[in-house]
Amino acid sequence: MSSATVEAWPEGPAGLVGRTRRGFRTWRRTRPFWGGLLAMLAGVPILYFPYAHLSLGGLTVAMSTTAGAGSLIIGLMLMVLGLTAWFQPMVRIFCGVATTILALISIPVSNLGGFGMGLLPGLVAGGLLVSWAPLQARPETAGPAAAAPEGAPEEAPTAVLPAQAAAEQPLEYGAAPRPAAEEEQQ
């Protein structure tokens, strides 16, 4: 191998930054990334405001409530649910429902859900987590069909019931069965 054939190491998108960015993009697309991120961000104000001492001019306002422990638990659970959705995408529906319920519970427990700054992202995160589904694998195209020998009669197409077509083809994760007529049109 000569220096003329070696790939230049940190050159443009093929360098370390480009490979890292492409790797992160691939990782992000295989899980409910935005729902998990919003769930973690929703936990921060819910966790912060009950323990905060805000200064407005010369006046110090303490937001401590009797439900400080409840706010701590709700905030930490939202962050854990966001991380769980990232690293275990199979439990995304549980994480989404739990995130929505915790965000709603934070209204009376944690200063109106962190003054709305934790409530709204929590509700959106719950919806994103429940509605996310993994991409379906691309169907592999078979090579050119084997040509029938000349003079051989063509086989008549046989009718296949939708239940038979569904039984013959295993479902991919997240895929719904389609009737054979739809598959032929596409």
Side-chain angles (χ1 to χ4, degrees), residues 48-107:
Y48 175 74
F49 284 123
Y51 297 103
H53 294 282
L54 303 173
S55 294
L56 301 172
L59 182 66
T60 301
V61 179
M63 296 288 175
S64 20
T65 64
T66 57
S71 299
L72 175 72
I73 290 170
I74 290 172
L76 288 177
M77 285 302 297
L78 284 172
M79 292 179 193
V80 167
L81 286 169
L83 282 173
T84 302
W86 274 4
F87 294 107
Q88 295 293 325
M90 297 296 290
V91 295
R92 69 189 182 278
I93 295 175
F94 168 77
C95 290
V97 171
T99 298
T100 303
I101 290 171
L102 285 173
L104 290 173
I105 289 173
S106 73
I107 294 171

